Structure formats: C-alpha cells, structure tokens
Amino acid sequence: MSMMIDGRAMARALSDRTAASVERLRTSGVDPALAVILVGDNPASDIYVRRKIGECRKAGIRSIEHRLAADCDEVALCDLIDALNADPAVHGILVQLPLPAGIDATRVLDRIDPAKDVDGFHPVNVGRLSTGTRGLVPCTPLGIMMLLDSVIDDYRGLNVVVIGKSNIVGKPVAMLLLEREATVTVTHIETRNLPDIARAADVIVAAAGAPHLVRGYWVKPGAVVIDVGITRVIDHDGTSRIVGDCATHELDHARAVTPVPGGVGPMTIACLLSNTVMAADRMAG
Ligand code: GUN
C-alpha cells in the first residue's frame, strides 16, 4: 500500500505555529487581520470563504469579510481594494476567484498592494517567484511543497510532471520545484501522450480539475503523487462527494499519495494564514 500523506495533520501543525506567531505579534502591538472579498454567489466560493474565515478565527487572525453583489461595478470593487490597501490595520487582502463575468480579474488583482497580496497573484509577486526572490507565494503551491517536503529531502534531478498550467497552481508550483532543481515538465489539456509523460515522473502534481484523470498505469512504481483536484460529483442517490484528479484506488504501487479530501485543501488554508502573519510581520518591520 502507498503511504497517505496526512494534509489535515500537517495543516493543523502549521496553523498551531501560525497561532503562536499571532500571539507574539499581539504582544508587540500588531493585530494580524485579513480582508476577504467575495463577489457574487458562487456556492463553492462561499464554502471556501467561510472555511478560510473559520480557520482565521481559530488561529487568532482577525478577518474582515466584504461581500459584493455579482453585478457590482468593477470601479466599486477597485475602490474597496484601494481603501484596504491604505488601511494600516489590514495586513492581507484576498479576492476570492473566480470573479463574475464582466469583471476583469487581472485588473482587480493588479490593484492589490503586493505587500498585502496573501494569495501571491499580483504580477510583482509572480515576478519575484519566477526570479527566486521570495515575495508572497500562492497558498496551494506552498502547501504542495510542504506536503512533498514530508517525503522528499532532495529534489535535484527528480522528474516532476505537473498536470495543469493554471496561474493559481500549475505555473507557480513549477517555479518552486525549479528553484529546488527538479526537472519540471508542465503539461496541460493539449499535451500529447500524457500517460507516457506521467509514467516517467518521480513526482506527479495533478492539478487539472479532471476527476480520476490520473490512472494507475500513468504512475511509475514508487512515484509520489499530489492530488490537487477537488471536483464535486453527484452520485446516483443524489448525494454529493468531492473527487480528486487521481484514481487513488489504483495507486497502491505509488510511494506516497495525498488524499482528497484531507490532502492539499487543508494545507492551502493553513498557508493563507501563515502568509497573512508573514505579511503582518513584514509590515511591522
Ligand atoms: N479560487 C480557487 N483557488 C483560489 C485561491 O487560492 N485563492 C483565491 N483567492 N481564489 C481561489
């Protein structure tokens, strides 16, 4: 049997360390605060935002929630971001994606002060990541690296195949892995012979958003598999469940895999909290 990497336990440990940092900052007069902006009523986004706010509370981070209507004006959204940028009591700003059609996500994300950009999506932080000078790093890729670090000491020369080229996961995780001197192949929906490419990998990061895409025969014996997928599927009896990008029941020959749920998801939120505290810490000088 392959080893299951326990994302929940690792996230709890990281959040405990974050809570201790919050306490330390408080005693020096800094009260770490995260502003969360949710536009529209996407049910999945609503669940994620509630989870993020709940975890903030547990770690002692103050959260300020801003909900805007789906048909809100992009100018109003940018004005809100300007106000949060200027507010010294706010250390992190998060705009939950996706934004409704009609709002230009690029323009909105560009508006966030890079020092408060706890998602790491601002071009300045993207640039810093790609040049290896650390700004704020996107939460899911950070969480993936921590999960991998629990089973891999040395990445030099390892073949890593990333499935998915999104700005949120695929591209930034490829940058982090390159920094560790892995040989990184980024694949996507147009990639030919994907099973053959995946089979050459020592590590697979599956972030395609395609349920059970990665089958047993795609995975080399002893490979490490990180499953970033979270797709909600409805069963015949009407109940719904979350399914990852990997057919985990076919991966007994892998060295280690992350479960869905309970793998990458909890780490993403724990990294959001740690990024918020890092931003507060840096702002405090
Ligand atoms: N939507 C899906 N993933 C993310 C994320 O990591 N951050 C934000 N802001 N929105 C998302």
Side-chain angles (χ1 to χ4, degrees):
M1 278 293 277
S2 57
M3 173 203 168
M4 277 285 168
I5 305 175
D6 188 345
R8 283 201 184 104
M10 288 183 61
R12 215 174 297 125
L14 175 57
S15 292
D16 286 348
R17 291 198 296 278
T18 301
S21 301
V22 171
E23 279 305 306
R24 199 165 11 84
L25 278 167
R26 279 250 174 71
T27 56
S28 60
V30 178
D31 185 13
L34 172 67
V36 180
I37 304 174
L38 176 59
V39 186
D41 42 23
N42 179 319
S45 291
D46 191 69
I47 291 169
Y48 296 143
V49 161
R50 262 188 281 153
R51 207 166 285 162
K52 288 171 184 180
I53 288 172
E55 291 300 317
C56 276
R57 188 175 312 120
K58 283 195 223 162
I61 295 172
R62 198 162 61 84
S63 61
I64 309 132
E65 190 179 353
H66 295 271
R67 285 179 176 255
L68 302 180
D71 61 353
C72 85
D73 187 14
E74 190 180 306
V75 174
L77 175 53
C78 287
D79 286 348
L80 171 61
I81 292 170
D82 288 346
L84 295 168
N85 284 341
D87 185 346
V90 171
H91 306 96
I93 301 171
L94 178 153
V95 178
Q96 186 65 27
L97 302 177
L99 287 167
I103 297 184
D104 184 332
T106 307
R107 269 203 300 263
V108 169
L109 296 175
D110 282 7
R111 199 83 173 205
I112 299 172
D113 178 350
K116 297 189 179 187
D117 170 36
V118 286
D119 260 327
F121 295 162
H122 190 283
V124 164
N125 285 319
V126 176
R128 284 183 182 143
L129 178 60
S130 76
T131 51
T133 51
R134 286 289 179 88
L136 285 160
V137 177
C139 306
T140 301
L142 258 189
I144 291 169
M145 292 309 296
M146 289 181 195
L147 291 163
L148 282 173
D149 285 347
S150 73
V151 288
I152 296 172
D153 291 326
D154 188 353
Y155 292 77
R156 284 177 297 177
L158 287 185
N159 283 323
V160 181
V161 170
V162 177
I163 306 175
K165 62 169 179 64
S166 73
N167 292 334
I168 295 181
V169 184
K171 287 182 206 164
V173 83
M175 289 298 168
L176 290 171
L177 288 158
L178 267 179
E179 213 181 288
R180 307 286 277 272
E181 294 174 337
T183 302
V184 184
T185 305
V186 182
T187 67
H188 47 80
I189 193 90
E190 296 294 345
T191 298
R192 295 186 191 140
N193 306 322
L194 184 50
D196 291 338
I197 295 169
R199 215 170 12 245
D202 302 301
V203 176
I204 296 175
V205 178
H212 290 180
L213 174 72
V214 178
R215 303 289 306 274
Y217 72 94
W218 291 35
V219 176
K220 174 169 87 173
V224 176
V225 181
I226 303 290
D227 190 343
V228 192
I230 37 164
T231 306
R232 186 171 290 279
V233 298
I234 311 288
D235 281 328
H236 301 300
D237 61 1
T239 56
S240 77
R241 66 198 160 92
I242 298 292
V243 178
D245 281 2
C246 301
T248 313
H249 55 284
E250 296 179 7
L251 299 185
D252 282 352
H253 58 293
R255 176 151 79 89
V257 303
T258 59
V260 175
V264 173
M267 286 304 291
T268 294
I269 299 184
C271 287
L272 170 67
L273 307 189
S274 72
N275 273 355
T276 303
V277 166
M278 187 188 289
D281 211 4
R282 286 182 184 168
M283 251 171 263

